[in-house]
């Protein structure tokens, strides 16, 4: 699929970054004309669904929209609206369709309004067909592989009446140095790799994000150095499986080695990363985490299921026993490490007894938090063709898992009550403006008296009272 307007390639810079800056200039001209027509600065709104990868992608979109002259607002009644979509579970898709219906009303009242859809859902051909048929008021569709071409696509939207559709099946390119606008001045996500090669049998991500590609360490380091110079103290390294980072680079390097390089960056205070696949978590990484002063005491280690049989069909490539041994090793080496996880309930063939195994792992590992999902059938994945579990059984099992998670996590999170810990202040509390909210190294939140001047600072907080998943405290 490639409906883009034909370009005169000779006049364009060959280097992809320069090429996109060329289109940003051009788009700025279109936005300027629109501003004159409207008699005000045009507004835009980027709405993000899904994971931190998508959140980071949205920051790239906002960076370009700001550069070409849009005013960024949080209201979808804007001159340009983009939905950056997720398709990991069906409810993510349904939310997008619901919100699209609302946009139709806005567009009726503002005929100059432009609507774009991008992200993981767009990589599914059935979704493109549905939008063409039932949502033909949308102006632009693009996918995950060509997001770096956003400025160019934006120009096409101004030049073309019909829906602009540009979906790529894959890409080897990683385009550096395009504008980004961070949501938070003091913390940032950073892509260290794109795509996934694991093909867990329930998961659509490898199909919509393509094969695994790692960024060059020097590009990652340079980006972090620039961020730190710009006020960032905490970074989150992003990848679907950070533990396999660097294996396919021309000069291979391990994730643990990359972390050691990042640790040396002066002014950087905290390092987080997401996500660690248990099958690839090395002893080297455990040692590096143990010795690090900057790597946060939080490891997200998705279990998915506790039954070895189910894990096998899921293609997770570890057994219950291997997972437990790994968690135990981490606890032994780094006792203050918070471990969180993802769990799927209702995978095809999962019995009550299988779920008992999951519950057994939750009790043994004592997670600080666990995100529990009901299995969602994704078209094109191997699990979609397997026999599905009856809804009533899934519901019953889901409730049992959730109850166990809540009970164990409550106990686990409370273990620091009365202690003093470092917290990075993130925002003024939404419900009570006399409080601010800080994040501990182990990812737990603490609310305490303070004001906006503390935002972005790391302060010492006494954790006075644990309320389930968060603390109330005071600064010391
Ligand atoms: N790369 C990460 C996970 C990315 S998706 C990892 O491997 O851990 C985030 C979470 O969504 C997964 O951990 C899984 O628990 C959940 N998930 C993925 N596909 C799903 C599906 N089809 N139904 C329900 N949950 C799913
Ligand atoms: Fe999906 Fe598995 Fe890849 Fe995670 S590792 S993104 S669950 S296929
Ligand atoms: Fe969703 Fe895509 Fe992330 S499917 S979870 S937004 S990689």
């Amino acid at each position: 699929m490639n409906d883009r307007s034909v370009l005169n390639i000779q006049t364009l810079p060959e280097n992809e970054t320069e090429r996109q800056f060329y289109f940003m200039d051009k788009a700025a001209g279109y936005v300027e004309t629109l501003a004159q027509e409207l008699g005000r600065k045009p507004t835009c709104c980027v709405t993000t669904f899904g994971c931190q990868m998508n959140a980071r992608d949205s920051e790239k979109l906002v960076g370009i929209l700001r550069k070409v002259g849009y005013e960024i607002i949080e209201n979808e009644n804007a001159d340009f609206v983009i939905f950056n979509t997720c398709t990991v579970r069906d409810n993510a898709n349904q939310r997008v369709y619901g919100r699209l219906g609302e946009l139709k009303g806005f567009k009726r009242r503002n005929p100059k309004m432009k609507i774009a859809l991008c992200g993981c859902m767009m990589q599914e051909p059935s979704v493109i067909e549905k939008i063409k048929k039932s949502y033909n008021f949308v102006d632009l569709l693009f996918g995950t592989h060509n997001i770096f071409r956003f400025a160019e696509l934006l120009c096409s939207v101004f030049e073309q009446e019909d829906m602009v559709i540009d979906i790529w099946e894959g890409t080897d390119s990683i385009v550096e140095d395009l504008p980004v606008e961070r949501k938070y001045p003091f913390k940032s996500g950073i892509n260290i790799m794109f795509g996934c090669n694991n093909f867990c049998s329930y998961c659509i991500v490898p199909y919509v994000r393509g094969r695994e590609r790692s960024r060059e360490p020097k590009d990652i380091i340079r980006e972090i150095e620039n961020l730190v110079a710009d006020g960032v103290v905490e970074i989150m390294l992003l990848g679907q499986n950070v533990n396999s980072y660097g294996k396919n680079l021309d000069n291979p390097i391990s994730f643990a080695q990359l972390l050691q390089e990042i640790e040396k960056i002066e002014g950087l205070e905290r390092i987080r990363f997401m996500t660690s696949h248990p099958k690839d978590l090395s002893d080297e990484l455990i040692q590096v985490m143990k010795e690090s002063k900057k790597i946060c005491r939080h490891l997200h280690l998705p279990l998915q299921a506790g039954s070895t049989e189910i894990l096998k069909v899921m293609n997770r490539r570890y057994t219950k026993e291997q997972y437990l041994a790994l968690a135990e090793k981490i606890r032994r080496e780094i006792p203050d490490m918070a471990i969180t996880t993802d769990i799927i309930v209702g995978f095809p063939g999962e019995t009550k007894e299988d779920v008992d195994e999951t519950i057994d792992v939750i009790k043994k590992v004592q997670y600080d938090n666990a995100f529990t999902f009901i299995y969602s059938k994704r078209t094109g994945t191997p699990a979609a063709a397997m026999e599905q579990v009856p809804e009533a059984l899934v519901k019953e099992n889901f409730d049992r898992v959730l109850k166990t998670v809540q009970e164990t996590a409550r106990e686990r999170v409370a273990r620091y009550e009365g202690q003093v810990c470092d917290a990075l202040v993130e925002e003024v509390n939404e419900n009570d403006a006399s409080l601010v909210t800080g994040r501990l190294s182990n990812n737990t939140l603490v609310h305490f008296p303070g004001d906006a001047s503390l935002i972005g600072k790391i302060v010492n907080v006494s954790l006075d009272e644990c309320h389930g998943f968060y603390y109330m405290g005071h600064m010391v």
Side-chain angles (χ1 to χ4, degrees), residues 259-276:
L259 283 172
Q260 284 174 306
E261 290 306 309
I262 296 174
E263 175 100 16
K264 292 180 197 154
I265 299 175
E266 241 172 86
L268 179 66
E269 304 275 353
R270 285 178 164 191
I271 305 169
R272 300 184 183 277
F273 51 83
M274 257 244 268
T275 296
S276 269

Side-chain angles (χ1 to χ4, degrees), residues 51 53 87-90 195-196 198 200-205 239-242 274-278 300-304 316 318 341-345 347 371-378 381 383:
C51 65
M53 302 267 181
T87 185
V88 76
R89 287 171 290 274
D90 189 52
C196 180
N198 290 304
C200 302
S201 64
Y202 50 82
C203 184
I204 199 163
V205 171
Q240 294 300 349
N241 176 12
V242 292
M274 257 244 268
T275 296
S276 269
H277 196 306
H300 188 62
L301 194 65
L303 167 70
Q304 313 300 2
R316 289 291 289 179
Y318 50 83
T341 202
D342 289 345
I343 292 167
I344 298 175
V345 178
F347 180 84
F371 301 95
T372 311
F373 306 109
I374 287 184
Y375 167 75
S376 172
K377 185 168 157 178
R378 307 317 289 136
T381 61

Side-chain angles (χ1 to χ4, degrees), residues 440-474:
L440 306 181
S441 169
N442 69 14
N443 214 36
T444 304
L445 295 180
V446 55
H447 306 292
F448 55 97
D451 59 43
S453 68
L454 292 171
I455 292 174
K457 298 207 168 81
I458 296 177
V459 296
N460 283 331
V461 181
S462 163
L463 306 176
D464 300 330
E465 227 177 275
C466 183
H467 293 241
F469 287 97
Y470 66 91
Y471 278 99
M472 298 305 292
H474 70 278

Side-chain angles (χ1 to χ4, degrees), residues 12-118:
L12 291 173
E14 280 205 2
N15 170 286
E16 188 62 50
T17 306
E18 288 169 21
R19 186 185 149 100
Q20 292 312 310
F21 274 95
Y22 165 91
F23 283 107
M24 282 176 232
D25 277 347
K26 196 171 179 197
Y30 292 130
V31 175
E32 178 57 38
T33 310
L34 178 63
Q36 281 165 9
E37 283 168 23
L38 295 171
R40 59 170 171 81
K41 203 170 177 179
T43 54
C44 81
C45 175
V46 179
T47 301
T48 312
F49 299 82
C51 65
Q52 314 229 19
M53 302 267 181
N54 257 20
R56 183 65 178 159
D57 282 347
S58 289
E59 294 185 342
K60 297 175 187 174
L61 299 171
V62 171
I64 289 170
L65 287 161
R66 170 93 68 196
K67 185 157 173 63
V68 304
Y70 277 101
E71 182 184 340
I72 317 294
I73 59 171
E74 304 253 315
N75 182 336
E76 286 169 9
N77 194 357
D79 298 308
F80 194 108
V81 175
I82 306 188
F83 284 177
N84 188 7
T85 64
C86 169
T87 185
V88 76
R89 287 171 290 274
D90 189 52
N91 52 12
N93 297 46
Q94 294 316 321
R95 277 178 35 230
V96 169
Y97 290 124
R99 296 275 277 277
L100 261 181
E102 266 174 64
L103 289 192
K104 191 175 182 183
F106 293 145
K107 191 162 178 170
R108 210 177 293 131
R109 272 165 270 143
N110 175 8
K112 286 211 183 300
M113 180 182 184
K114 303 282 185 199
I115 299 171
L117 299 176
C118 66

Side-chain angles (χ1 to χ4, degrees), residues 40 56 224 236 253 284 404 436 443 446:
R40 59 170 171 81
R56 183 65 178 159
I224 300 172
M236 165 84 86
I253 148 171
E284 185 197 13
T404 317
V436 290
N443 214 36
V446 55

